[in-house]
Amino acid sequence: MSDALDPTPYDALLLLSFGGPEGPDDVVPFLENVTRGRGIPKERLKEVGQHYFLFGGVSPINDQNRALLDVLRKDFAEHGLDLPVYWGNRNWAPYLTDTLREMVTDGHRRILTLATSAYASYSGCRQYRENLADSLATLRAEGLEPPRVDKLRHYFNHPGFVRPMIDGVLTSLADLPDDVREGAHLAFTTHSIPHSAADTSGRVEDHGDGGAYVKEHLDVARLIADAVREETGVEHPWQLVYQSRSGAPHIPWLEPDICDHLEERHAAGAPAVVMVPIGFVSDHMEVLYDLDTEAEAKAAELGLEVRRSATVGADPRFAAAIRELVLERAATENGRTVTPCALGALGASHDLCPVGCCPARAPKPAAAGVDSPYA
Ligand SMILES: CC1=C(CCC(=O)O)c2cc3nc(cc4[nH]c(cc5[nH]c(cc1n2)c(C)c5CCC(=O)O)c(CCC(=O)O)c4C)C(CCC(=O)O)=C3C
Ligand SMILES: [Fe+2]
C-alpha cells in the first residue's frame, strides 16, 4: 500500500463557478442568463455589456478557472490524492447540468463541490445550491439517478486563502512610491449586495446588521491588516468598502462604494490607497473593470496613488487549501473527529447549510444543505 490520501466517500470534485462570455456574440446571451427574472435595470445591463466589450467580449473568469483546474489537478497528483476534478458553471458553458450529466455517466455517485465564492450570501452560496438542485432535477427527469452532491464549507478564513492576499498587500505596498507608502490606507473591497440580502446572510443566528456576509469580510480584513502591521511595523488605516452595485437606486445596497471611498480618503489627506479585493477569488471582470479600470481612473483624476493587490487565483497555496478541505470533509463524513483549519475570530464555517441559511426571496429547492430534497 502507498500512503495515498483517501477522499472516500467522495469520488469526484466539481469546480462550480459563475461562467462568463468567451467572445462578443456571447455577451448578451450571458447577461440574459445571469439576470433572468431579477429585475436588473436595462441601463445597467447595457453598461455591464460594455465592460465585457472593452475586453473583446471575453470574461477573464474562464481562463482563471482553467488555471485553477490545472493547479488543483497538479496538487492532487503530487500528493497522491486520486480524485478527478470537473468544471461546471451557473451562467455559461461548460454548463453545470452538462458537467453533472458527464460525471454521472462516468460513474460518480458522491460529488464534492468547490464553489468559487468564499463567503456566505444568497448570491455566493444558496444560489449555487439552487442551481445544483435544478441540475439534479433535470438529470432525474432524463431518467438518470441523481448523485449525492455536497459542498465544501466557506473558506474565507482558511490560511490558504488569506495568506496569499497578505503577500499581495505587501507587494502592493512595496510597489508604492517611498514618500506615500507609510501613509497608505487599505481599502478591503467586495461585491455590494442589497442590505436585505446582507442582513439575512449566513445562519439564522447570524442575521441582522450585515449578517454573516459583513462579519466574514470584516474578519478577513482584520486578519490581513494585522498581518501587514506585524510585517511592516506600520499601522495602515483600513476600511471595508463595496463595489459593482446594480439594482434600482431606491433599494439600499452595502456602501460606501470604492470610488466614493477614494474621493473621501483623498479629501481626508490619505496619500495612497491599496485596494484589496478580498471578496473575489480571482481576477473577475469586477476586478479588471470596476477596480483596475473605473477606480483607477477615479484615482488618476484625484491625483491619488492607488495599487490593486492580487486575488488568490491559482496560487498553489490555495490548491493545497482545497486539498486539505476535501480531506477534512471526507474525514468528517467518515465519522472521524477533525479540527477544521481556520484563522480569525469566527471559526470554521458549517459543512452543511442549515435551514434558513441565506434565504431566497422566493423559496426554491436547494441541494447540499440540511433541507436538500436530494439524499
Ligand atoms: C456576492 C456576489 C458575488 C461573489 C460571489 C461569487 O463569486 O459568486 C458575485 C460574483 C460575480 N458576479 C458576476 C457577474 C455579474 N453579477 C451580476 C449581478 C449581481 N451579482 C451579485 C452578487 C455577487 N456577484 C448581485 C447581488 C447581483 C445583482 C443581481 C443578482 O442577484 O443577480 C451581473 C448582472 C449585471 C450587474 O448588475 O452587474 C453580472 C454580469 C461574476 C462574473 C464576472 C466575470 O465575468 O468575470 C462574478 C464572479
Ligand atoms: Fe455578481
Side-chain angles (χ1 to χ4, degrees), residues 125-330:
C125 185
R126 181 174 290 266
Q127 203 177 359
Y128 284 110
R129 295 176 46 224
E130 291 175 353
N131 298 143
L132 284 167
D134 283 348
S135 294
L136 291 171
T138 302
L139 296 191
R140 180 170 277 168
E142 292 172 1
L144 293 167
E145 180 62 31
R148 174 159 163 190
V149 180
D150 292 339
K151 185 173 172 291
L152 282 175
R153 66 177 168 90
H154 298 300
Y155 45 80
F156 63 92
N157 56 6
H158 197 286
F161 184 65
V162 176
R163 291 205 178 115
M165 291 195 289
I166 295 169
D167 288 350
V169 176
L170 293 171
T171 302
S172 290
L173 284 169
D175 190 44
L176 280 170
D178 290 343
D179 58 328
V180 297
R181 184 177 305 118
E182 227 181 273
H185 290 221
L186 308 179
F188 295 98
T189 171
T190 190
H191 208 301
S192 186
I193 58 174
H195 277 196
S196 56
D199 291 350
T200 56
S201 58
R203 301 163 307 172
V204 172
E205 53 267 44
D206 292 321
H207 292 184
D209 206 21
Y213 190 71
V214 171
K215 283 191 204 73
E216 291 172 357
H217 281 90
L218 282 174
D219 208 35
V220 170
R222 193 170 296 118
L223 275 168
I224 296 174
D226 286 351
V228 168
R229 186 189 57 236
E230 261 168 49
E231 190 65 33
T232 62
V234 179
E235 176 94 47
H236 294 278
W238 65 269
Q239 193 177 324
L240 177 61
V241 305
Y242 302 91
Q243 59 172 94
S244 321
R245 173 203 165 128
S246 54
H250 66 276
I251 298 171
W253 283 53
L254 295 172
E255 288 178 335
D257 181 80
I258 179 69
C259 289
D260 297 335
H261 178 67
L262 293 180
E263 249 175 37
E264 186 265 328
R265 288 293 83 192
H266 176 66
V273 174
V274 175
M275 303 184 286
V276 190
I278 57 172
F280 302 93
V281 172
S282 68
D283 288 1
H284 298 159
M285 194 53 103
E286 277 83 351
V287 175
L288 296 193
Y289 185 82
D290 299 353
L291 297 180
D292 296 354
T293 308
E294 205 175 41
E296 295 256 0
K298 167 59 75 181
E301 173 197 317
L302 295 167
L304 177 68
E305 283 284 355
V306 291
R307 294 293 182 277
R308 192 271 291 174
S309 69
T311 55
V312 168
D315 191 296
R317 288 170 289 181
F318 184 49
I322 300 308
R323 166 171 38 83
E324 287 167 22
L325 285 165
V326 166
L327 294 169
E328 176 197 300
R329 182 63 177 273

Side-chain angles (χ1 to χ4, degrees), residues 18-28 30-31 48-66 87 92-93 283-289 293:
F18 199 92
E22 304 245 47
D25 294 343
D26 295 350
V27 172
V28 171
F30 161 74
L31 289 174
V48 173
Q50 289 311 313
H51 303 175
Y52 286 100
F53 287 123
L54 262 182
F55 292 84
V58 180
S59 164
I61 199 172
N62 297 318
D63 277 346
Q64 292 287 341
N65 281 324
R66 290 184 186 104
W87 173 36
W92 202 251
D283 288 1
H284 298 159
M285 194 53 103
E286 277 83 351
V287 175
L288 296 193
Y289 185 82
T293 308

